[in-house]
Amino acid sequence: MDDGAIALKEAARAKAYSMPLEDIRVADPELFRTDTHWPYFERLRKEDPVHYAADDGDIGPYWSITKYNDIMDVDTNHQVFSSERGITIRDAPEDFQMPMFIAMDPPKHDAQRKVVSPIVSPANLAQMEGLIRSRAGKILDELPIGETFDWVDRVSIELTTQMLATLFDFPFEERRKLTFWSDIATSAPGTDFCPTVEYRREKLRECLNTFIGLWNERVNAEPKGDLISMLAHGEATRNMEPMEYLGNVILLIVGGNDTTRNSISGSIMALNQNPDQYQKLRDHPELLPSMVSETIRWQTPLAHMRRTALEDIEFRGKQIRKGDKVIMWYVSGNRDDEVIANPDAYVIDRERPRHHLSFGFGIHRCVGNRLAEMQLRVVWEEILKRYPVIEVMDEPRRVASAFIKGYEYLPVRIPG
Ligand code: HEM
């Protein structure tokens, strides 16, 4: 970290602890872009773990749940805390709704989830491992030596996009379209990448048209093991309206893409910030599975999930009202020192490395968690075979989002 970054963090800490509690707004994307959200969450965990933020501009008021066990309690109580009105802090626009099963309650949620779950059956995962390994090897072998390049684009995006193309049996040469749609779906309009609301909708309609073409091919063929064929033949999904098909496609693209991508980039960041752990990994490659879980905890690629209260409920002494937005801040729960020892440290040989919130809990627990872990493990097995050191050359550029917690750009160098 350079002097500027250290000064920024010190200023954030001073501000987080001096402002009135009721003024804290942890959902500000700028806090995530600058990586200065930590002291705000630390203060909330200590002083006001179930925190109410009164009206916050276009987001509206929301509750922040910041401690590990409280998050578990909300996540596993879908009878009271519903996903039906959206799972991100921002509401989707009324005139462009994309229903998807992550944002549904039972029984529809359960039926649709069941349709796609076989994609990550142990047998399927075992079959995919060899493919992931050969692709990871090829991507790594083509990296430049002795010069700075962007790890996000060359490795994290490329590897996860290739995987997605396989899961959908999407035309391989056009796979970067999947990355583009994933990015456009999670972007807030008003940037160079996504200038207007209309532009975003137009691109998502293009995505839908492409996927309708693939649906039409598969619906008339024998059922196969790819996600589109599963949706086209599944009892709970074969009669979906087009926007619901788009919603579920976007769920699977974003689920399988951004999260794993940012974990791969996060592993490089974490090991560079903790050279003793990097050395431990080189000395003990058998620690890779636990290093993978620790990275996913440390990174927390999805900073939050949102629920909406279906009834008035008293929760840890606070009165939550029917219709209130309730935000489970996984990023904060993963740093709760009452549950995880020394939680700010990155330790690749923790006793219970899978004891974290990054995949959620309850009926919506991540479908792809084993696939994501396997991808990370395999890519690191291949990295360690080839390159003992991958050096971060400068501060990364982080995503300005309170939902996707990750990196747009990460300059690295493999020493000659
Ligand atoms: C490190 C990588 C990943 C992280 C951190 C992650 C995180 C999450 C989280 C937090 C949830 C919601 C849990 C809840 O509400 O309790 C979720 C759900 C989901 N994830 Fe992942 N995910 C990852 C990788 C993947 C992959 C590779 C896939 C693709 C196959 C995937 C597909 C899904 C789906 C379909 C859901 C919705 C499940 C439901 O509503 O029942 N995820 N994920």
Side-chain angles (χ1 to χ4, degrees), residues 115 215-240:
V115 170
W215 175 289
N216 290 340
E217 276 171 19
R218 313 238 167 124
V219 76
N220 296 316
E222 282 299 299
K224 284 197 308 164
D226 67 89
L227 287 168
I228 303 172
S229 180
M230 285 177 177
L231 291 170
H233 291 276
E235 205 180 307
T237 46
R238 64 179 172 222
N239 295 319
M240 287 185 293

Side-chain angles (χ1 to χ4, degrees), residues 294-306:
E294 175 66 349
T295 302
I296 293 171
R297 178 192 75 87
W298 183 88
Q299 180 60 34
T300 317
L302 293 180
H304 77 259
M305 282 282 156
R306 164 225 172 154

Side-chain angles (χ1 to χ4, degrees), residues 75 101-103 109 113 116 119-120 167 251-252 255-257 259-260 263 296 300-302 305 307 328 330 357-369 371-372 375-376:
D75 219 353
F101 70 84
I102 196 171
H109 159 269
R113 177 179 167 119
V116 296
I119 195 85
V120 289
L167 294 179
L251 163 61
L252 293 159
N257 192 26
T259 51
T260 318
S263 306
I296 293 171
T300 317
L302 293 180
M305 282 282 156
R307 299 291 185 259
M328 302 178 286
Y330 297 140
L357 293 168
S358 298
F359 292 126
F361 276 97
I363 60 166
H364 291 281
R365 183 169 168 83
C366 178
V367 169
N369 69 82
L371 172 61
Q375 269 186 280
L376 259 113

Side-chain angles (χ1 to χ4, degrees), residues 135 161 321:
R135 284 180 178 167
T161 303
R321 305 241 169 249

Side-chain angles (χ1 to χ4, degrees), residues 27-45:
D28 179 359
E30 197 53 16
L31 295 181
F32 289 86
R33 190 187 67 77
T34 52
D35 199 34
T36 52
H37 51 287
W38 304 109
Y40 294 91
F41 283 115
E42 182 189 276
R43 184 167 176 215
L44 290 189
R45 284 195 303 275

Side-chain angles (χ1 to χ4, degrees), residues 11-21 23-24 40 43 47:
R13 172 160 291 276
K15 190 169 169 200
Y17 274 90
S18 60
M19 72 198 295
L21 261 179
D23 290 350
I24 291 183
Y40 294 91
R43 184 167 176 215
E47 297 178 26

Side-chain angles (χ1 to χ4, degrees), residues 83-88 90-104 108 112 181-187 197 200-209 211 240-254 403:
S83 299
E84 198 85 37
R85 287 173 56 188
I87 46 96
T88 61
R90 266 172 205 285
D91 293 319
E94 285 296 328
D95 58 344
F96 200 81
Q97 294 280 330
M98 294 188 290
M100 53 182 82
F101 70 84
I102 196 171
M104 290 176 192
K108 200 171 172 190
Q112 292 201 350
W181 290 323
S182 176
D183 290 345
I184 213 80
T186 54
S187 301
V197 176
R200 182 170 177 272
R201 291 181 184 184
E202 184 192 313
K203 295 296 159 196
L204 289 172
R205 278 189 215 104
E206 280 174 23
C207 171
L208 175 59
N209 288 338
F211 272 88
M240 287 185 293
E241 293 293 324
M243 287 304 276
E244 188 169 339
Y245 177 40
L246 176 62
N248 277 320
V249 163
I250 292 294
L251 163 61
L252 293 159
I253 295 180
V254 174
F403 184 61

